[in-house]
Amino acid sequence: MAPATDTAASDRPDWRDINRVSYRRSLVLMSVGALIGLGLAGYALFTAKGTSTLLVPPEDVAMVNQQPISRSDFNTQIQSLYAVDPAHATPAQRRKVLDDMIREELFVQRGRELDVAAVDPEVRAAMVNSVEQEIAADAITSHPSEAKLRDYYAAHRAKYASEGMMTLVDMVFPAASPDLVRQAAAALKAGTPAAEVEGRFHGRDSGRVNGEEFYFAARLHLGDKAFDAARALPAGGVSAPMQESDGVHLLYMLKNTPPVPMDFAQARERVVADYLNDAIKRLQGGDEKFFRKRANILIAKDLRPRDQRR
């Protein structure tokens, strides 16, 4: 009978083994549950509104302290300023618009810190202006000494002069006729009227200048190279031939009144205004650099410089 008793006893389960299996299963389930919980918590943390991210969403061109600058606003700004779609804007144009929008956002955020609401473009512009004025307040209310003003005048003396004026004719001749151009120049120097010279030597008035003009207008119409040649001419003077895309140009000066420098007393009011404006620009530029330095600014990959697109 003893063997039968041993067999029956061996068929009974060992509760210690069952307890060990249950304990291990509980640990595994608890670990899985903890991992799932951590995963969900991490997902919620990194997708929550206001969470810091290192990515710029496709619908935006930049993130400034986690505030998006939308691509649609960026595109509208380019079209408004340059009358081109973003695909045909130059890198310099895109960078200028982006920098301006980042600057606006930085100043708007500073405006919010000053408890000013930002709800529409007009308010945003007002907020930027408000921060600029706050920054400029010290310069606006300052009273620079006479010595500082005189130093500023001495450093920028070329700015303080009366506006020069000139009256000239800009003639164009065929590029394939250098002899005709030389003959035309000689005729002008001899006092032959410009209209007669144009008819005799197959030239024409370029139309770039129109009678008497201020120096700044003549520079704008002629371009820097031709203007520099023109302002050196006395009345009755003729420039050297200048090859341009539409032919060979000759400038014939009828009257040239160069700018007259102002002394400090004459220019003082302008010196004060320019001194304060430069001081304001320095202050605002310094604050903008500080705002950018402390800000977290992310730029969309397609708008970064090529060497930073990795």
Side-chain angles (χ1 to χ4, degrees):
M1 297 298 293
T5 302
D6 292 339
T7 301
S10 64
D11 289 339
R12 289 198 300 270
D14 188 332
W15 292 106
R16 288 173 298 178
D17 290 339
I18 293 173
N19 288 336
R20 281 194 294 271
V21 170
S22 297
Y23 179 72
R24 284 196 294 269
R25 183 181 298 128
S26 297
L27 284 178
V28 171
L29 291 175
M30 288 173 60
S31 300
V32 171
L35 290 173
I36 292 173
L38 287 173
L40 292 174
Y43 176 81
L45 177 64
F46 289 102
T47 58
K49 185 177 180 181
T51 300
S52 178
T53 177
L54 297 178
L55 299 176
V56 179
E59 67 271 18
D60 300 322
V61 293
M63 301 285 289
V64 181
N65 294 324
Q66 302 304 305
Q67 292 298 314
I69 296 176
S70 76
R71 192 174 292 273
S72 62
D73 289 347
F74 173 81
N75 294 345
T76 300
Q77 192 81 335
I78 285 183
Q79 290 170 339
S80 173
L81 286 176
Y82 301 111
V84 296
D85 62 88
H88 292 90
T90 65
Q93 289 172 336
R94 291 196 293 269
R95 188 70 207 177
K96 174 70 167 59
V97 170
L98 182 61
D99 282 345
D100 287 348
M101 295 183 77
I102 289 174
R103 180 180 187 274
E104 178 186 88
E105 182 59 38
L106 288 170
F107 278 73
V108 166
Q109 291 182 19
R110 175 57 178 162
R112 287 175 179 158
E113 292 175 2
L114 298 174
D115 199 27
V116 183
V119 294
D120 62 33
E122 290 185 2
V123 174
R124 290 176 69 89
M127 289 174 64
V128 171
N129 185 63
S130 174
V131 174
E132 288 177 337
Q133 291 302 315
E134 181 210 16
I135 295 170
D138 288 343
I140 293 172
T141 57
S142 67
H143 298 284
S145 67
E146 200 73 3
K148 287 184 177 179
L149 292 176
R150 286 185 177 276
D151 288 344
Y152 185 88
Y153 165 79
H156 303 85
R157 191 184 299 271
K159 293 172 59 176
Y160 304 110
S162 63
E163 186 57 59
M165 300 192 74
M166 62 174 59
T167 306
L168 76 159
V169 181
D170 176 27
M171 288 178 258
V172 187
F173 298 87
S177 307
D179 288 339
L180 287 179
V181 176
R182 284 193 291 270
Q183 293 172 30
L188 288 169
K189 291 176 182 177
T192 306
E196 184 178 333
V197 170
E198 289 171 359
R200 187 190 303 175
F201 300 103
H202 310 293
R204 61 180 176 83
D205 191 323
S206 72
R208 294 196 296 188
V209 289
N210 184 23
E212 188 176 51
E213 291 194 334
F214 287 111
Y215 266 36
F216 75 86
R219 181 187 291 276
L220 181 65
H221 296 152
L222 293 172
D224 290 342
K225 178 181 176 182
F227 172 76
D228 288 342
R231 69 177 176 179
L233 296 174
V238 181
S239 71
M242 292 177 288
Q243 178 71 55
E244 296 192 24
S245 60
D246 58 343
V248 179
H249 287 247
L250 282 180
L251 301 176
Y252 177 50
M253 183 64 67
L254 300 174
K255 182 181 179 182
N256 190 356
T257 306
V260 178
M262 298 179 181
D263 61 27
F264 178 75
Q266 293 172 313
R268 191 180 188 284
E269 187 175 338
R270 285 176 55 186
V271 171
V272 172
D274 291 344
Y275 179 92
L276 293 178
N277 285 335
D278 282 359
I280 289 170
K281 288 178 182 177
R282 286 195 301 272
L283 287 172
Q284 290 179 343
D287 276 40
E288 182 181 348
K289 287 181 181 178
F290 170 71
F291 295 158
R292 285 178 178 267
K293 185 176 180 180
R294 74 172 186 171
N296 175 21
I297 300 174
L298 300 175
I299 307 297
K301 185 175 180 180
D302 60 310
L303 290 173
R304 299 175 199 161
R306 292 188 180 276
D307 58 347
Q308 298 178 15
R309 292 185 181 180
R310 292 184 294 275

